[in-house]
């Protein structure tokens, strides 16, 4: 079974609005990462948050991590049509090399 | 894109034939991964490598084998292709910080494989 599960599966918003995606996982993690995938392309790393961190920012991205609830959220502020893509959370388990990806959230930003 | 290439980019083959996909990196990263991506499943890890000749299985390794004879090349072989192996295959690489925290992965452009 997959480690990370994103919610919602799909999200449609207007340009300028904020988009929030959530990720839940099941076991202890070393870190959690968010990736973006444009249609027909490989994944691109957005941000990494370590298990001892609670919040991290990068430009219009804000990621939070709650290890007690085994959950994370990705907030994209002031969304743009170019943010239209699929977003995946991925977890690296404690002591492991492997990164486990969730099924992703498809974000559609309408101009 | 990071220095990762995959070949071929597209392939159509018939059930029962062997297929080899190649991943080549110019970053000298230690870790390399093969994933498959299918609708509704996200990315699933097939095999990974933590050094030359050091490989291990992922969550969906049945029917696949890998080899890494050089740092820069990681080969994925479908020993006898089946229709269930029709998918998009991604190679990825990563480097460790050495502190026990693992860095982000960089992905190749993908190979679309169709098994008829």
């Amino acid at each position: 079974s997959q480690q990370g599960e994103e919610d919602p599966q799909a999200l449609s918003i207007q340009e300028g609005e904020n988009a929030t995606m959530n990720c839940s996982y099941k076991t202890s993690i070393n870190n959690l990462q968010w990736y973006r995938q444009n249609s027909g392309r490989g994944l691109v790393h957005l941000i990494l948050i370590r298990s001892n961190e609670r919040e991290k920012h990068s430009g219009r991205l804000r990621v939070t991590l709650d290890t007690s609830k085994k959950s994370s959220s990705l907030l994209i502020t002031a969304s743009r049509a170019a943010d239209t893509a699929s977003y995946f959370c991925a977890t690296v388990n404690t002591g492991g090399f492997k990164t486990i990806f969730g099924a992703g959230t498809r974000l559609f930003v309408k101009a | 894109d990071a220095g990762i290439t995959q070949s071929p980019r597209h392939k159509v083959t018939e059930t029962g034939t062997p297929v080899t996909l190649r991943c080549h990196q110019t970053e000298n990263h230690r870790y390399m991964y093969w994933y498959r991506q299918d609708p509704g499943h996200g990315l699933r890890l097939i095999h990974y490598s933590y050094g030359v000749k050091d490989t291990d299985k992922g969550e969906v390794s049945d029917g696949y084998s890998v080899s890494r004879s050089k740092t820069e090349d990681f080969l994925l072989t479908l020993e006898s292709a089946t229709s269930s192996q029709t998918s998009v295959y991604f190679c990825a690489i990563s480097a460790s910080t050495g502190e026990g925290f693992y860095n982000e992965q960089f992905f190749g452009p993908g190979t679309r494989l169709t098994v008829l």
Side-chain angles (χ1 to χ4, degrees):
Chain A
S1 63
Q2 294 179 29
Q3 168 76 316
E5 294 183 3
E6 290 92 341
D7 170 59
Q9 292 184 337
L11 181 61
S12 181
I13 60 175
Q14 291 290 138
E15 205 168 30
E17 294 180 340
N18 295 341
T20 299
M21 289 161 268
N22 302 298
C23 171
S24 60
Y25 59 92
K26 297 175 182 176
T27 63
S28 296
I29 62 171
N30 184 305
N31 65 68
L32 185 144
Q33 304 170 27
W34 286 90
Y35 289 80
R36 163 186 167 147
Q37 184 181 34
N38 290 92
S39 181
R41 305 290 296 275
L43 277 71
V44 175
H45 180 263
L46 295 176
I47 195 164
L48 180 154
I49 186 164
R50 297 176 175 175
S51 59
N52 60 355
E53 298 176 314
R54 292 297 168 259
E55 186 170 315
K56 205 161 184 181
H57 296 257
S58 176
R60 294 184 295 112
L61 305 180
R62 172 178 172 258
V63 170
T64 61
L65 178 64
D66 187 334
T67 53
S68 67
K69 295 181 179 179
K70 291 185 169 59
S71 67
S72 174
S73 67
L74 170 67
L75 169 67
I76 304 174
T77 60
S79 62
R80 306 166 182 168
D83 294 328
T84 294
S86 291
Y87 293 82
F88 296 88
C89 74
T91 55
V92 178
N93 291 354
T94 302
F97 299 114
K98 294 179 285 189
T99 303
I100 307 297
F101 287 82
T105 292
R106 294 181 64 186
L107 173 65
F108 180 65
V109 182
K110 294 177 282 187
Chain B
D1 293 339
I4 311 169
T5 56
Q6 293 183 232
S7 58
R9 294 292 314 280
H10 301 272
K11 187 170 181 67
V12 179
T13 191
E14 294 188 350
T15 297
T17 60
V19 176
T20 296
L21 308 183
R22 179 179 183 241
C23 176
H24 178 78
Q25 62 149 327
T26 58
E27 306 296 324
N28 201 35
H29 282 352
R30 178 180 175 185
Y31 304 104
M32 298 186 75
Y33 311 80
W34 275 108
Y35 294 92
R36 60 178 289 173
Q37 185 175 34
D38 304 287
H41 289 278
L43 270 75
R44 291 182 291 177
L45 181 66
I46 305 171
H47 281 279
Y48 66 100
S49 170
Y50 46 96
V52 173
K53 297 185 179 179
D54 291 324
T55 64
D56 204 350
K57 296 178 180 180
E59 59 181 315
V60 290
S61 59
D62 287 348
Y64 301 95
S65 62
V66 290
S67 65
R68 191 171 178 197
S69 59
K70 298 184 291 185
T71 298
E72 58 267 34
D73 289 327
F74 193 32
L75 303 180
L76 175 72
T77 297
L78 288 64
E79 291 138 12
S80 178
T82 67
S83 59
S84 65
Q85 294 176 312
T86 292
S87 187
V88 180
Y89 291 85
F90 287 98
C91 173
I93 64 175
S94 70
S96 169
T97 64
E99 300 170 337
F101 291 104
Y102 297 96
N103 282 343
E104 67 269 28
Q105 294 186 17
F106 299 96
F107 283 79
T111 294
R112 184 172 296 275
L113 176 67
T114 302
V115 183
L116 302 176

